[in-house]
Amino acid sequence: QQQVKQSPQSLIVQKGGISIINCAYENTAFDYFPWYQQFPGKGPALLIAIRPDVSEKKEGRFTISFNKSAKQFSLHIMDSQPGDSATYFCAASNTGTASKLTFGTGTRLQVTL
Amino acid sequence: KAGVTQTPRYLIKTRGQQVTLSCSPISGHRSVSWYQQTPGQGLQFLFEYFSETQRNKGNFPGRFSGRQFSNSRSEMNVSTLELGDSALYLCASSILGTGGYTFGSGTRLTVV
């Protein structure tokens, strides 16, 4: 019940294209859904996050779409750039009593020229 | 505003030894969590501390322990190191209840 399933494992997108990464969760107690970006040799950096009372959140080129009934959420990266090449992790947490982050397995994104 | 600082950045230890890793959270963040990152298991939660008390613990053996000091700085300790403990150990801090964790760059531990 604590799992967060993430797909695809890897993704190659051309510069200017749209990158889409999907995640699904099981635990309905989760109330916070962040996406993290990680570059080699660095820790994960918070990119954007959403709570389940909102179906979509946009920050610049990054958008989270959230489907509460399907228990799924996704990250869309518009106008993908080579600098976006990194590993992306979705995560979920219950910010109340058990605020630990449960991470997906990660998606390695490569944006080609 | 300074980020989360982890020291040391790299460590090489021998099997059977013990190791202590240090984490200084963002000023004002009193919640500190630790995660282990490996290629095989991904990012796994170790434990979380708030106000010097462990709030939550992941599914790791008792060889993994931690503590938090009154200034919110935290340490984690791994005793009787095994080869499988080789990993990137990440510390994250937050304001309790917000979910917005900020991670440090991690300590890369290699056990030989």
Side-chain angles (χ1 to χ4, degrees):
Chain A
Q1 259 231 318
Q2 292 296 319
Q3 276 191 320
V4 175
K5 295 183 180 178
Q6 183 172 346
S7 64
Q9 191 173 5
S10 63
L11 185 59
I12 300 175
V13 172
Q14 278 197 322
K15 180 182 175 182
I18 302 173
S19 304
I20 302 174
I21 305 170
N22 301 297
C23 284
Y25 64 98
E26 298 170 357
N27 187 347
T28 55
F30 288 146
D31 63 357
Y32 179 75
F33 301 87
W35 284 90
Y36 282 85
Q37 179 190 56
Q38 186 176 29
F39 292 104
K42 299 289 186 183
L46 180 62
L47 201 57
I48 186 172
I50 198 168
R51 294 198 180 265
D53 54 345
V54 176
S55 62
E56 185 175 283
K57 184 175 181 180
K58 184 177 180 179
E59 289 183 2
R61 296 184 294 109
F62 301 92
T63 299
I64 298 179
S65 296
F66 188 85
N67 186 329
K68 188 175 181 178
S69 60
K71 292 187 283 186
Q72 295 175 348
F73 58 111
S74 61
L75 175 69
H76 292 62
I77 305 174
M78 313 299 287
D79 186 27
S80 298
Q81 299 297 313
D84 297 331
S85 298
T87 300
Y88 292 81
F89 293 92
C90 63
S93 75
N94 177 341
T95 56
T97 56
S99 55
K100 66 175 185 176
L101 289 166
T102 299
F103 282 92
T105 49
T107 296
R108 185 170 292 183
L109 171 64
Q110 183 182 352
V111 181
T112 61
L113 293 170
Chain B
K1 196 174 189 181
V4 178
T5 304
Q6 291 189 246
T7 56
R9 287 296 312 276
Y10 302 93
L11 266 178
I12 300 177
K13 290 286 187 179
T14 305
R15 270 182 302 174
Q17 286 186 315
Q18 76 166 20
V19 67
T20 300
L21 313 181
S22 181
C23 172
S24 293
I26 289 174
S27 178
H29 286 192
R30 295 168 60 196
S31 174
V32 175
S33 300
W34 289 87
Y35 291 80
Q36 181 196 64
Q37 185 174 26
T38 60
Q41 299 299 316
L43 282 149
Q44 292 191 294
F45 172 77
L46 280 156
F47 25 66
E48 180 189 19
Y49 288 87
F50 178 78
S51 290
E52 302 177 67
T53 301
Q54 187 180 88
R55 289 186 78 231
N56 207 348
K57 188 178 190 308
N59 189 25
F60 278 82
R63 299 184 298 106
F64 292 81
S65 63
R67 60 176 173 169
Q68 187 181 33
F69 302 96
S70 59
N71 61 359
S72 295
R73 193 177 69 83
S74 177
E75 289 181 346
M76 69 163 280
N77 184 279
V78 188
S79 62
T80 320
L81 284 165
E82 301 177 359
L83 294 178
D85 297 334
S86 294
L88 180 66
Y89 289 89
L90 293 158
C91 170
S93 74
S94 76
I95 296 172
L96 188 68
T98 62
Y101 288 96
T102 301
F103 283 82
S105 293
T107 295
R108 172 72 63 184
L109 172 65
T110 303
V111 182
V112 297

